[in-house]
Amino acid sequence: MSYINSKRSVGDVFAGFKRQITQERVDAYAAASGDHNPIHLDESYAASTQFGTRIAHGMLSLALVAEMLAAEFPDTWHDGGKLKVRFSAPVFPGEIVSTYGEITEIEDSGERKIATCTIGCKKPDGTDAVVGRATVPLE
Amino acid sequence: MAVPLISTATVGHEFGPYDVTIPESRASAYVAAVGGIESPEYGDTLAPIIIVAAALTELIEDLGLFSGGLQTVHAGQEAGWTRQVKIGEKVSATGKLTAKSIRRGNHFATVSVTYSDSSGAEIGTSSTTIIVSGEPSS
C-alpha cells in the first residue's frame, strides 16, 4: 500500500484542477480518438445543430476526470479502478471546466480496501458536464 | 441511404473485434488534448480512456451514427481497467449490444465492450449508453 493511499479516509476532497477547453484541445482529441464528427470540428455544420456551435467531445471532459483520478491514486487507479458517469451538459470551446471528487465510502473486504468517490467536471456556471462515481483500490 | 444499424440491430448483436492499438502519434495527440501541469506522468503507458474512446469511434461508425439527419447524444459511460497498457501494445475490443429501447421516437442503446491483450487476456471493460434521434437523410 502506498503511503498516500494508506492515509485516505472518507471525506477526503480531491485537489481537482481547471482546464480551458480550447478548440485546439478539441482538435487534438479528435486526432487521438479518431472521432472526427463535424459537430466537434466544423463550425458551419455545428451551427445547424441543436447546440448552435461546436461542442467538445464528452469523452474529453471525462478524460479530465480520469486524469484527476490518476493523479490522486497513482499506484492503483489503473489497476482495478472503475468509473460510471453520465454526460449532463455540453462543453463549448473556450469554456474553463473544473474537475472535482471526494471519497464517500471505504470498503474493506479483507483482501483489498476500495474507495468509492463522487466525481465530476463542472462548467463555468457550476452545472455538471460530467457527474458520476468511481471506485478505486487503495492497496 | 441505407438504414443505420442502430435502427435494426437487436440486443445481443456483436461488434468488432476492433484493433484499438494506440500508436505514439495518437498518444501524443491525447496529451495535447488533455494534459496539463497536474497530469500524471504516463511514460510509455496510456491513459485507459483513450482506448475506450478509440473503441467508441469504431462503434459509432458501425452503428451508422454519422449518418446525416441523426443526432446522437452520448448519455453515459462506464469503464474499468485491470492494468496499464503501453503505447503501441496490441489491444482488441469486442462489443455487444446489451440494451435497446425506443421511447418517444428516440433510440436508447447500451453497448458493452471487452478489451483484450495479445494473449487474449481481458484487461478492461466499458459500457456506453447513447440516445439517437432523427431519421437518416437521403
Side-chain angles (χ1 to χ4, degrees):
Chain A
M1 185 191 321
S2 73
Y3 173 77
I4 293 173
N5 282 352
S6 69
K7 298 294 184 184
R8 291 294 191 182
S9 59
V10 172
D12 280 1
V13 176
F14 303 156
F17 55 82
K18 294 180 184 290
R19 191 84 88 234
Q20 185 172 29
I21 305 299
T22 62
Q23 185 60 47
E24 288 73 23
R25 285 188 182 273
V26 175
D27 293 347
Y29 192 82
S33 66
D35 181 353
H36 297 281
N37 188 324
I39 199 167
H40 307 302
L41 306 173
D42 183 340
E43 184 58 31
S44 60
Y45 171 85
S48 68
T49 70
Q50 61 182 310
F51 302 110
T53 188
R54 288 175 287 190
I55 60 172
H57 304 75
M59 290 290 284
L60 173 51
S61 298
L62 178 56
L64 298 177
V65 176
E67 289 280 290
M68 172 187 68
L69 289 163
E72 291 285 341
F73 303 99
D75 298 331
T76 56
W77 167 240
H78 297 108
D79 176 19
K82 298 178 182 177
L83 57 78
K84 179 178 182 178
V85 301
R86 60 186 172 84
F87 299 99
S88 46
V91 172
F92 301 102
E95 288 189 318
I96 297 173
V97 298
S98 307
T99 62
Y100 67 90
E102 179 179 353
I103 296 176
T104 58
E105 181 183 355
I106 294 177
E107 181 185 357
D108 188 349
S109 66
E111 294 182 357
R112 218 174 185 193
K113 285 186 177 179
I114 306 289
T116 298
C117 319
T118 57
I119 53 172
C121 179
K122 285 188 183 297
K123 289 164 62 72
D125 66 2
T127 59
D128 279 307
V130 177
V131 63
R133 291 156 59 98
T135 57
V136 189
L138 294 181
E139 54 193 58
Chain B
M1 176 175 287
V3 175
L5 187 55
I6 185 65
S7 300
T8 59
T10 56
V11 170
H13 185 96
E14 295 187 352
F15 301 89
Y18 305 122
D19 180 357
V20 289
T21 304
I22 306 297
E24 175 66 39
S25 58
R26 290 177 70 174
S28 297
Y30 181 86
V31 170
V34 177
I37 58 172
E38 311 86 353
S39 296
E41 178 56 55
Y42 284 107
D44 64 349
T45 61
L46 295 164
I49 289 293
I50 184 57
I51 301 171
V52 176
L56 179 59
T57 298
E58 300 281 357
L59 285 169
I60 287 171
E61 192 159 321
D62 272 1
L63 284 165
L65 301 182
F66 284 143
S67 304
L70 294 181
Q71 295 208 343
T72 303
V73 174
H74 188 179
Q77 185 67 50
E78 298 180 37
W81 293 88
T82 59
R83 71 167 176 84
Q84 282 201 287
V85 175
K86 291 192 172 184
I87 295 170
E89 180 179 348
K90 183 173 175 54
V91 177
S92 64
T94 305
K96 181 180 284 188
L97 185 63
T98 51
K100 182 182 175 186
S101 62
I102 301 176
R103 282 172 265 172
R104 297 177 183 172
N106 298 320
H107 292 271
F108 290 71
T110 300
V111 180
S112 298
V113 179
T114 300
Y115 303 87
S116 304
D117 65 17
S118 59
S119 74
E122 182 179 311
I123 56 174
T125 59
S126 69
S127 178
T128 300
T129 299
I130 54 173
I131 305 170
V132 183
S133 59
E135 297 292 335
S137 57
S138 56

Short mmCIF file of all heavy atoms in Angstrom, two decimals, chain B residues 14-46:
data_model
loop_
_atom_site.label_atom_id
_atom_site.label_comp_id
_atom_site.label_asym_id
_atom_site.label_seq_id
_atom_site.Cartn_x
_atom_site.Cartn_y
_atom_site.Cartn_z
N GLU B 14 -23.28 -8.37 -32.00
CA GLU B 14 -21.88 -8.22 -31.63
C GLU B 14 -21.14 -7.30 -32.59
O GLU B 14 -21.46 -7.25 -33.79
CB GLU B 14 -21.19 -9.60 -31.56
CG GLU B 14 -21.78 -10.47 -30.46
CD GLU B 14 -21.03 -11.78 -30.26
OE1 GLU B 14 -20.15 -12.09 -31.08
OE2 GLU B 14 -21.35 -12.47 -29.27
N PHE B 15 -20.20 -6.58 -32.06
CA PHE B 15 -19.39 -5.63 -32.83
C PHE B 15 -17.92 -6.01 -32.72
O PHE B 15 -17.47 -6.46 -31.68
CB PHE B 15 -19.58 -4.21 -32.30
CG PHE B 15 -21.00 -3.72 -32.35
CD1 PHE B 15 -21.85 -3.94 -31.29
CD2 PHE B 15 -21.47 -3.05 -33.46
CE1 PHE B 15 -23.16 -3.51 -31.32
CE2 PHE B 15 -22.78 -2.61 -33.51
CZ PHE B 15 -23.64 -2.83 -32.44
N GLY B 16 -17.21 -5.73 -33.80
CA GLY B 16 -15.78 -5.99 -33.78
C GLY B 16 -15.45 -7.44 -34.09
O GLY B 16 -16.29 -8.16 -34.64
N PRO B 17 -14.26 -7.89 -33.71
CA PRO B 17 -13.29 -7.15 -32.88
C PRO B 17 -12.64 -6.00 -33.63
O PRO B 17 -12.44 -6.07 -34.84
CB PRO B 17 -12.26 -8.23 -32.51
CG PRO B 17 -12.33 -9.22 -33.63
CD PRO B 17 -13.77 -9.23 -34.08
N TYR B 18 -12.36 -4.94 -32.88
CA TYR B 18 -11.66 -3.78 -33.41
C TYR B 18 -10.23 -3.78 -32.88
O TYR B 18 -9.99 -4.10 -31.72
CB TYR B 18 -12.33 -2.49 -32.92
CG TYR B 18 -13.80 -2.38 -33.21
CD1 TYR B 18 -14.71 -2.20 -32.17
CD2 TYR B 18 -14.30 -2.43 -34.51
CE1 TYR B 18 -16.07 -2.08 -32.42
CE2 TYR B 18 -15.65 -2.31 -34.77
CZ TYR B 18 -16.53 -2.13 -33.71
OH TYR B 18 -17.88 -2.02 -33.96
N ASP B 19 -9.34 -3.38 -33.76
CA ASP B 19 -7.96 -3.16 -33.32
C ASP B 19 -7.89 -1.74 -32.75
O ASP B 19 -8.03 -0.76 -33.50
CB ASP B 19 -7.00 -3.32 -34.51
CG ASP B 19 -5.55 -3.10 -34.12
OD1 ASP B 19 -5.27 -2.76 -32.94
OD2 ASP B 19 -4.68 -3.28 -34.99
N VAL B 20 -7.72 -1.63 -31.46
CA VAL B 20 -7.66 -0.30 -30.83
C VAL B 20 -6.26 -0.05 -30.25
O VAL B 20 -6.09 0.61 -29.23
CB VAL B 20 -8.76 -0.12 -29.76
CG1 VAL B 20 -10.11 0.01 -30.42
CG2 VAL B 20 -8.75 -1.27 -28.76
N THR B 21 -5.29 -0.60 -30.94
CA THR B 21 -3.90 -0.30 -30.58
C THR B 21 -3.64 1.19 -30.81
O THR B 21 -3.97 1.72 -31.87
CB THR B 21 -2.95 -1.14 -31.46
OG1 THR B 21 -3.28 -2.52 -31.31
CG2 THR B 21 -1.50 -0.89 -31.09
N ILE B 22 -3.08 1.84 -29.81
CA ILE B 22 -2.85 3.29 -29.89
C ILE B 22 -1.38 3.56 -30.17
O ILE B 22 -0.52 3.31 -29.31
CB ILE B 22 -3.27 3.98 -28.58
CG1 ILE B 22 -4.71 3.63 -28.22
CG2 ILE B 22 -3.07 5.50 -28.70
CD1 ILE B 22 -5.76 4.10 -29.20
N PRO B 23 -1.08 4.10 -31.36
CA PRO B 23 0.32 4.41 -31.67
C PRO B 23 0.78 5.69 -30.99
O PRO B 23 -0.03 6.45 -30.45
CB PRO B 23 0.29 4.57 -33.20
CG PRO B 23 -1.09 5.07 -33.48
CD PRO B 23 -1.99 4.41 -32.46
N GLU B 24 2.06 5.95 -31.09
CA GLU B 24 2.66 7.12 -30.46
C GLU B 24 1.98 8.42 -30.90
O GLU B 24 1.77 9.33 -30.09
CB GLU B 24 4.16 7.18 -30.80
CG GLU B 24 4.88 8.42 -30.30
CD GLU B 24 4.94 8.50 -28.78
OE1 GLU B 24 5.13 7.44 -28.16
OE2 GLU B 24 4.78 9.61 -28.24
N SER B 25 1.63 8.51 -32.19
CA SER B 25 1.04 9.76 -32.69
C SER B 25 -0.28 10.08 -31.99
O SER B 25 -0.56 11.23 -31.65
CB SER B 25 0.82 9.65 -34.21
OG SER B 25 -0.02 8.56 -34.52
N ARG B 26 -1.08 9.05 -31.77
CA ARG B 26 -2.38 9.28 -31.12
C ARG B 26 -2.19 9.51 -29.61
O ARG B 26 -2.94 10.27 -29.00
CB ARG B 26 -3.34 8.13 -31.40
CG ARG B 26 -3.78 8.11 -32.86
CD ARG B 26 -4.66 6.94 -33.19
NE ARG B 26 -5.98 7.02 -32.58
CZ ARG B 26 -6.96 6.14 -32.84
NH1 ARG B 26 -6.75 5.14 -33.69
NH2 ARG B 26 -8.13 6.27 -32.25
N ALA B 27 -1.21 8.85 -29.04
CA ALA B 27 -0.93 9.08 -27.61
C ALA B 27 -0.48 10.52 -27.40
O ALA B 27 -0.87 11.18 -26.43
CB ALA B 27 0.13 8.10 -27.13
N SER B 28 0.32 11.04 -28.31
CA SER B 28 0.78 12.42 -28.21
C SER B 28 -0.37 13.40 -28.38
O SER B 28 -0.45 14.42 -27.69
CB SER B 28 1.85 12.70 -29.27
OG SER B 28 2.99 11.90 -29.05
N ALA B 29 -1.28 13.08 -29.31
CA ALA B 29 -2.45 13.94 -29.50
C ALA B 29 -3.31 13.95 -28.25
O ALA B 29 -3.87 15.00 -27.87
CB ALA B 29 -3.26 13.45 -30.71
N TYR B 30 -3.39 12.82 -27.58
CA TYR B 30 -4.18 12.75 -26.34
C TYR B 30 -3.57 13.67 -25.27
O TYR B 30 -4.29 14.40 -24.59
CB TYR B 30 -4.22 11.30 -25.84
CG TYR B 30 -5.02 11.13 -24.56
CD1 TYR B 30 -6.39 10.93 -24.60
CD2 TYR B 30 -4.40 11.18 -23.32
CE1 TYR B 30 -7.13 10.78 -23.44
CE2 TYR B 30 -5.12 11.04 -22.15
CZ TYR B 30 -6.49 10.84 -22.21
OH TYR B 30 -7.20 10.70 -21.06
N VAL B 31 -2.28 13.64 -25.16
CA VAL B 31 -1.61 14.50 -24.18
C VAL B 31 -1.85 15.98 -24.51
O VAL B 31 -2.12 16.80 -23.63
CB VAL B 31 -0.10 14.19 -24.12
CG1 VAL B 31 0.64 15.23 -23.29
CG2 VAL B 31 0.13 12.79 -23.56
N ALA B 32 -1.82 16.30 -25.81
CA ALA B 32 -2.07 17.69 -26.22
C ALA B 32 -3.50 18.10 -25.89
O ALA B 32 -3.76 19.25 -25.56
CB ALA B 32 -1.81 17.84 -27.72
N ALA B 33 -4.41 17.16 -25.98
CA ALA B 33 -5.83 17.46 -25.73
C ALA B 33 -6.15 17.57 -24.25
O ALA B 33 -6.92 18.43 -23.83
CB ALA B 33 -6.71 16.38 -26.37
N VAL B 34 -5.55 16.71 -23.47
CA VAL B 34 -5.97 16.53 -22.09
C VAL B 34 -4.96 17.07 -21.08
O VAL B 34 -5.32 17.52 -20.00
CB VAL B 34 -6.24 15.03 -21.82
CG1 VAL B 34 -6.61 14.78 -20.37
CG2 VAL B 34 -7.34 14.52 -22.74
N GLY B 35 -3.70 17.03 -21.44
CA GLY B 35 -2.63 17.23 -20.47
C GLY B 35 -2.53 18.63 -19.90
O GLY B 35 -3.02 19.61 -20.46
N GLY B 36 -1.88 18.69 -18.75
CA GLY B 36 -1.59 19.94 -18.07
C GLY B 36 -0.58 19.68 -16.99
O GLY B 36 -0.09 18.54 -16.84
N ILE B 37 -0.26 20.70 -16.23
CA ILE B 37 0.78 20.54 -15.21
C ILE B 37 0.36 19.57 -14.11
O ILE B 37 1.20 19.01 -13.42
CB ILE B 37 1.16 21.89 -14.58
CG1 ILE B 37 -0.06 22.57 -13.95
CG2 ILE B 37 1.82 22.80 -15.59
CD1 ILE B 37 0.29 23.81 -13.16
N GLU B 38 -0.96 19.34 -13.97
CA GLU B 38 -1.44 18.42 -12.93
C GLU B 38 -1.42 16.98 -13.39
O GLU B 38 -1.67 16.08 -12.59
CB GLU B 38 -2.87 18.78 -12.52
CG GLU B 38 -3.12 20.24 -12.21
CD GLU B 38 -3.44 21.05 -13.47
OE1 GLU B 38 -3.34 20.48 -14.58
OE2 GLU B 38 -3.76 22.23 -13.33
N SER B 39 -1.21 16.75 -14.67
CA SER B 39 -1.36 15.41 -15.21
C SER B 39 -0.28 14.47 -14.70
O SER B 39 0.87 14.89 -14.49
CB SER B 39 -1.30 15.46 -16.74
OG SER B 39 -2.38 16.20 -17.24
N PRO B 40 -0.64 13.22 -14.51
CA PRO B 40 0.36 12.23 -14.12
C PRO B 40 1.33 11.97 -15.26
O PRO B 40 1.02 12.23 -16.41
CB PRO B 40 -0.48 10.99 -13.80
CG PRO B 40 -1.74 11.16 -14.57
CD PRO B 40 -1.98 12.64 -14.64
N GLU B 41 2.49 11.45 -14.91
CA GLU B 41 3.48 11.09 -15.92
C GLU B 41 3.20 9.67 -16.41
O GLU B 41 3.30 8.72 -15.63
CB GLU B 41 4.89 11.18 -15.32
CG GLU B 41 6.00 10.79 -16.29
CD GLU B 41 5.96 11.61 -17.57
OE1 GLU B 41 5.99 12.86 -17.47
OE2 GLU B 41 5.91 10.99 -18.65
N TYR B 42 2.83 9.54 -17.66
CA TYR B 42 2.46 8.22 -18.18
C TYR B 42 3.65 7.46 -18.75
O TYR B 42 3.57 6.24 -18.91
CB TYR B 42 1.37 8.35 -19.24
CG TYR B 42 0.00 8.63 -18.65
CD1 TYR B 42 -0.58 9.88 -18.76
CD2 TYR B 42 -0.69 7.64 -17.98
CE1 TYR B 42 -1.82 10.14 -18.20
CE2 TYR B 42 -1.93 7.89 -17.42
CZ TYR B 42 -2.49 9.14 -17.54
OH TYR B 42 -3.72 9.39 -16.98
N GLY B 43 4.71 8.17 -19.09
CA GLY B 43 5.86 7.48 -19.67
C GLY B 43 5.47 6.78 -20.96
O GLY B 43 4.92 7.41 -21.86
N ASP B 44 5.73 5.47 -21.02
CA ASP B 44 5.39 4.74 -22.24
C ASP B 44 4.04 4.03 -22.13
O ASP B 44 3.74 3.14 -22.91
CB ASP B 44 6.49 3.73 -22.57
CG ASP B 44 6.64 2.65 -21.50
OD1 ASP B 44 6.03 2.82 -20.41
OD2 ASP B 44 7.34 1.66 -21.74
N THR B 45 3.23 4.45 -21.15
CA THR B 45 1.92 3.83 -21.00
C THR B 45 0.82 4.82 -21.41
O THR B 45 1.06 6.00 -21.59
CB THR B 45 1.67 3.38 -19.55
OG1 THR B 45 1.71 4.53 -18.69
CG2 THR B 45 2.72 2.38 -19.11
N LEU B 46 -0.40 4.28 -21.51
CA LEU B 46 -1.54 5.06 -21.97
C LEU B 46 -2.54 5.31 -20.85
O LEU B 46 -2.70 4.47 -19.96
CB LEU B 46 -2.29 4.28 -23.07
CG LEU B 46 -1.56 4.03 -24.38
CD1 LEU B 46 -2.27 2.93 -25.16
CD2 LEU B 46 -1.49 5.31 -25.20
#
